[in-house]
Amino acid sequence: MIIGSVIGIGIFFKNTSVFKINGYNPTGVIISWILASVIAILTAFSFAEVGFNHKNGAGLAGSVERMYGSKPARFIAFNNSFFYYGVLTFAVAAFTAESIVQIFVGANKDITTVMHIGYLMLITLGLIFFFLIFNYFSFKWSKRFQILTTGMKFIPLIATGVAGVIYGAMHPELSLFNPSVVLPDNAKMSPLNFANILTALPSILFAYDSFLGIASLQSEMENPKKQVPLSIVIGIGICIALHMIITIGQIMVNSGTAPGVFTTIFKDNKTLSTVFSVLISFFIFVSAAGCLNSLMIVVLRTLTFSVQYRIFYGSWLLDKFSGDGVKSGFIISFFVYLFWWVVFLIPSVIFNTDAYIDGVSNIPSLFMFFVYGSVIFKAWTNRFTKKIHVNKISGFVVIAPLSTLGCYLAFGYQFFYQYSIRVFIDKTSYITWGLFASGGYTVSPVHAMILFFTMF
């Protein structure tokens, strides 16, 4: 579940933006990934002591309730179900739709050159409804689908990483470690810059987020007190290893995308280049579909919890109408996703780009890392006040402050500098968001700031 929800589509393409943000400096790229990975694993480890409220579907809100009480927990329950999972799952569905089309269009071609994004948005809505219905009627087959797609994810990730490292070692002139390497658009490599490293964090943390979704399934697990923390730490550890393998491979051949690695390797053999392009695109679709499925498993339980505990207005009526079980979560999911579909449909269709879907989807994840840090900090102070009973984990006293600092650093830099002060210092650094259907569209710093604080 954790590997399935954390590793979706981002790792196959996120390094394009991470490379650009770091000015193609390979050391900066690696440090960005290491810093984000440290924050993720420390956060995962810290939640082993934080523990969870074992109400079915409570998830993160259950942790907040244990540490801060019922009112903050209700606040997080709403934000977690409506904003966080609403935006995150919609974005994954949109990128899954794009990955389907990409198989037929070709890995190196922008979808907007052959299809208006309005059609992609219709496919996105269809995928959301399909996976909602699939998970509602057959959790048994949903679990099997999750196991299958998670196993298949290892194939393109390992293949891309290993192929990139081997080919890059044979052709060192391609590697970003080579000072004379030819960069895209004749760009020049920037010196190591800590500000760039911090700027890249949201994109990378988005690739690690949603690992706490498993906490919403505790009532369906054996020995959840032991299994949940263990699963989170081991799952995130495996994800970190896979992310680092593919990142090194991409650095070695100067390509921020998985298909781009094989395009570089088979640049002199058009047939093999086409074959591998289709294969990688297919596996990317499988990976994205698996991620979407795992998120829907969690969403149904999270939204069911939100209805049962009267988080949404009118919950009592919906609960009365639907009866017990996940039916209420199933019904309200339709309204939540329809809302976000309309919200993202307008700018996407007007500008014919997925840039706003990509950019905005990072923001709730960033806010949630602030929440993670706050929960962990409260658990750390609890070691001294001893007001809340927890299962003490060795090393927590040292690791928890570092985890809190990392979570606050990621959020604070974006809030106080990247989307505020820096906008007024540098109004010309346009932001490149988007995936398969960016259309070459760039977002001005001012527009990005407005989006960030509107979402906040």
Side-chain angles (χ1 to χ4, degrees):
M1 271 294 301
I2 291 172
I3 295 171
S5 59
V6 171
I7 296 181
I9 202 168
I11 183 55
F12 295 103
F13 294 91
K14 279 294 182 184
N15 270 329
T16 297
S17 60
V18 176
F19 283 13
K20 287 182 179 179
I21 292 170
N22 279 284
Y24 295 94
N25 187 297
T27 306
V29 172
I30 292 172
I31 292 176
S32 292
W33 274 99
I34 289 175
L35 183 57
S37 298
V38 168
I39 292 173
I41 195 68
L42 293 182
T43 302
F45 179 87
S46 297
F47 265 88
E49 173 157 333
V50 169
F52 299 94
N53 180 316
H54 295 290
K55 295 174 183 176
N56 188 28
L60 179 62
S63 300
V64 174
E65 185 173 44
R66 290 194 75 212
M67 296 298 161
Y68 287 98
S70 60
K71 287 186 178 180
R74 292 178 67 82
F75 172 73
I76 294 303
F78 174 77
N79 281 278
N80 202 36
S81 57
F82 183 76
F83 280 98
Y84 174 70
Y85 279 117
V87 174
L88 174 64
T89 312
F90 175 85
V92 172
F95 296 144
T96 304
E98 292 181 14
S99 69
I100 296 172
V101 178
Q102 196 72 32
I103 296 172
F104 304 98
V105 171
N108 298 311
K109 198 168 186 179
D110 193 288
I111 292 174
T112 57
T113 60
V114 295
M115 176 189 290
H116 193 276
I117 200 167
Y119 296 107
L120 284 170
M121 295 296 280
L122 290 174
I123 299 172
T124 299
L125 192 62
L127 284 170
I128 288 173
F129 287 166
F130 171 80
F131 277 98
L132 267 177
I133 293 168
F134 178 50
N135 276 280
Y136 176 70
F137 284 105
S138 183
F139 184 48
K140 175 183 176 181
W141 283 101
S142 174
K143 288 188 290 185
R144 290 178 178 177
F145 180 79
Q146 194 58 40
I147 293 169
L148 175 65
T149 54
T150 299
M152 292 179 71
K153 287 182 184 191
F154 287 87
I155 298 173
L157 286 168
I158 295 174
T160 301
V162 172
V165 169
I166 293 174
Y167 191 81
M170 296 167 61
H171 298 81
E173 72 278 1
L174 297 174
S175 174
L176 290 179
F177 290 109
N178 180 5
S180 58
V181 64
V182 178
L183 298 174
D185 302 322
N186 295 316
K188 291 185 177 180
M189 188 177 296
S190 301
L192 186 64
N193 187 312
F194 190 64
N196 291 343
I197 292 170
L198 293 177
T199 302
L201 283 183
S203 294
I204 302 175
L205 288 175
F206 178 77
Y208 279 125
D209 205 6
S210 76
F211 62 87
L212 289 181
I214 195 173
S216 299
L217 305 174
Q218 291 179 95
S219 64
E220 298 168 61
M221 297 175 67
E222 293 181 7
N223 193 9
K225 286 185 178 180
K226 179 182 178 182
Q227 297 289 358
V228 171
L230 190 64
S231 297
I232 289 174
V233 173
I234 293 176
I236 285 292
I238 293 172
C239 292
I240 288 173
L242 291 171
H243 285 158
M244 294 307 298
I245 289 170
I246 195 172
T247 297
I248 296 297
Q250 290 174 333
I251 286 175
M252 293 293 284
V253 295
N254 186 15
S255 175
T257 70
V261 170
F262 291 98
T263 299
T264 300
I265 293 173
F266 299 113
K267 62 181 181 294
D268 297 324
N269 190 322
K270 188 169 282 188
T271 302
L272 281 176
S273 178
T274 302
V275 169
F276 271 88
S277 172
V278 172
L279 279 174
I280 291 296
S281 295
F282 170 74
F283 279 114
I284 288 172
F285 158 67
V286 170
S287 182
C291 184
L292 181 58
N293 183 67
S294 66
L295 287 172
M296 283 299 181
I297 292 173
V298 174
V299 163
L300 279 173
R301 284 145 186 82
T302 301
L303 284 169
T304 299
F305 168 83
S306 297
V307 172
Q308 290 174 345
Y309 288 89
R310 307 294 189 261
I311 303 300
F312 290 95
Y313 287 109
S315 293
W316 63 273
L317 183 61
L318 184 60
D319 215 12
K320 181 180 178 181
F321 169 76
S322 61
D324 296 329
V326 296
K327 189 176 181 180
S328 57
F330 174 73
I331 293 171
I332 202 169
S333 294
F334 276 92
F335 292 101
V336 170
Y337 288 120
L338 196 60
F339 171 83
W340 287 114
W341 184 76
V342 172
V343 168
F344 283 109
L345 178 70
I346 297 170
S348 298
V349 168
I350 291 174
F351 299 106
N352 195 24
T353 180
D354 64 357
Y356 291 101
I357 298 173
D358 181 30
V360 172
S361 63
N362 292 330
I363 298 172
S365 296
L366 201 60
F367 175 72
M368 283 303 160
F369 267 94
F370 175 80
V371 176
Y372 301 159
S374 300
V375 172
I376 293 167
F377 177 74
K378 182 71 172 181
W380 182 73
T381 60
N382 183 65
R383 271 296 188 100
F384 307 100
T385 61
K386 299 178 181 179
K387 292 182 178 179
I388 304 165
H389 175 72
V390 295
N391 297 319
K392 293 183 179 180
I393 303 296
S394 179
F396 178 80
V397 173
V398 176
I399 290 176
L402 296 175
S403 175
T404 300
L405 179 63
C407 291
Y408 282 173
L409 178 66
F411 176 81
Y413 177 80
Q414 306 296 319
F415 186 89
F416 294 107
Y417 182 72
Q418 178 68 16
Y419 290 108
S420 52
I421 297 173
R422 187 176 182 179
V423 172
F424 299 100
I425 295 175
D426 185 4
K427 297 181 180 179
T428 60
S429 296
Y430 277 63
I431 301 169
T432 303
W433 284 335
L435 213 58
F436 301 122
S438 66
Y441 187 82
T442 55
V443 181
S444 73
V446 173
H447 287 169
M449 177 182 70
I450 293 170
L451 284 173
F452 179 85
F453 283 101
T454 299
M455 286 298 294
F456 179 75

